[in-house]
Amino acid sequence: MQRIVIVGGGAGGLALATQLGKSLGKKGLADITLVDAARTHVWKPLLHQLAAGSFDTHAEEIEYLAQARWNHFKFRLGSLVGVDRHNKTLQLAASYDEAGREITPAQQLGYDTLVIAVGSQTNDFGTQGAAEHTIKLDSPQAAKHFNDRLINACIRAQTVPRAAGSGRLTVAIVGGGATGVELAAELHAAARVLANYGFDHIHPEKDLQIVLVEAAPRLLAQLPERLSESAMRELRKLAIEVHTNEKVVEVTADGLKMASGKVISSSITVWAAGVKAADFLRTIGGDDPLETSKLNQLMVNGNLQTTRDPSIYAFGDCAACQQPDGTWVPPRAQAAYQQAMYLTRALPRLAAGQAVAPFVFKDQGSLVSLSEYSSVGSLMGSLTKGSFFVEGQFAKLMYWALHKQHQLALGGFKKTALITLSEMIDRTYRPRIKLH
Ligand SMILES: Cc1cc2nc3c(=O)[nH]c(=O)nc-3n(C[C@H](O)[C@H](O)[C@H](O)COP(=O)(O)OP(=O)(O)OC[C@H]3O[C@@H](n4cnc5c(N)ncnc54)[C@H](O)[C@@H]3O)c2cc1C
């Protein structure tokens, strides 16, 4: 039986494993294994909410083992570190618990088809001090770590007498792209809820200063200008300090230094500017490595096969896939999802030696959530033959629908409906913010 191994159970990999399990695995037509370095899946676009404490991971986390059992695939815990292309085996590093005890030893796993979907990580461009003094919002662990620091800082602020300028908590966010903007608005909303729960020293504007720093001339530089203006207007209403045209050159324990000479002090600094794929992908394949881009992404052809090895596929953030019009597929959840759906159909046919039309990314637009306050976005309309601008409640609904699409791919209609119902019930009796 054909062995298909998928490494990385994120926005793309988990959807692919689930769909292949339901089609090939269930009928015994292929042996599907998902490998991930973590035991549970959290949909990455929710990380800013996890950081602010406004969503509960227990409700949103998916246990890989259970997902595998329900959808006819196997799960292996492990971190990919190398691939022996000649013997078609992949190497997984040993994994350890928090106390340093070994959970799984280093392992080897054979494959006939390997799919790499290990995502991306934050790129600090080697900025001085960024590695030591910033939190990077690229994993659930990092988001939880940020949340712990935030709650601890708020508890500490309770014990410090309020005096002008002192005891003030400043969170600086480097990067005014979608992640930075969403986190800024989410933090403001979280501070409002915290104040309601008795953290009366945390007034979202007086005591928590949120600062957003962007090197480009405007926020959301990758998106249409109208979205930047709209987001800027909303952030101003929330008294969030925005600095555009400011490149961070150094991060210290107490703040940021800019190329312009400006200094911004900060208690907690989050780095949310730029992404790259993991360094280990550059050497994967040993003496005969796979081709990679400047950002360490694996280069793939239109069928998402790596350029030097047709039995190894890569997709999502860790792959560089050029479109027929010369543009590159963007590192977004909707692209990873579309590629997962493409591979579900294409893999069995390519394995049977049939020709398959190349993957084409259909941009459905971009949505940026400004927490409970608003959302802004541009959607691609088939009737308008271009993008149209959305804002407010409608954009919030579209943003919510994106997440539901992911849940549908993983759990089907009935399960998604039940999860939605339980989320609604949950909201009536749980605090709106995580307080521990
Ligand atoms: C805060 C934030 C907000 C975002 N908001 C949006 C949004 O609103 N809309 C949108 O379209 N996109 C958004 N994105 C981008 C989106 O999350 C990514 O493009 C998407 O998750 C990429 O999917 P992926 O499957 O390639 O990788 P990921 O979803 O990152 O999954 C990678 C998986 O690989 C595993 N892994 C990593 N390394 C290894 C290894 N060596 N061995 C084994 N397993 C490994 C990880 O544990 C993880 O499960 C956001 C990203 C962030 C960080």
Side-chain angles (χ1 to χ4, degrees), residues 7-13 35-38 41 44-48 64 78-80 117-120 137-138 179 182 280 315-318 331-334 336 367 399 402:
V7 185
V35 176
D36 200 285
H41 161 84
K44 232 174 161 186
L46 295 175
L47 289 187
H48 64 282
Y64 287 123
S79 198
L80 176 69
V118 292
S120 59
L137 214 56
D138 54 9
T179 304
E182 290 185 340
F280 83 90
F315 78 104
D317 286 8
C318 72
R332 303 232 296 266
Q334 56 166 304
L367 289 161
Y399 191 87
L402 246 185

Side-chain angles (χ1 to χ4, degrees), residues 406-421:
H406 178 64
Q407 287 180 339
L408 271 172
L410 300 184
F413 181 77
K414 216 162 99 191
K415 206 166 197 177
T416 306
L418 286 172
I419 294 172
T420 309
L421 184 67

Side-chain angles (χ1 to χ4, degrees), residues 11-12 304 315 323 329 332-345 359-364 405:
L304 308 181
F315 78 104
Q323 296 287 278
V329 175
R332 303 232 296 266
Q334 56 166 304
Y337 172 78
Q338 287 178 27
Q339 290 178 324
M341 295 304 122
Y342 169 84
L343 283 178
T344 303
R345 292 184 299 270
F359 169 77
V360 179
F361 172 60
K362 290 189 190 69
D363 191 352
Q364 291 161 345
Q405 183 187 47

Side-chain angles (χ1 to χ4, degrees), residues 10 73 221 239 275 412:
F73 65 89
V275 291

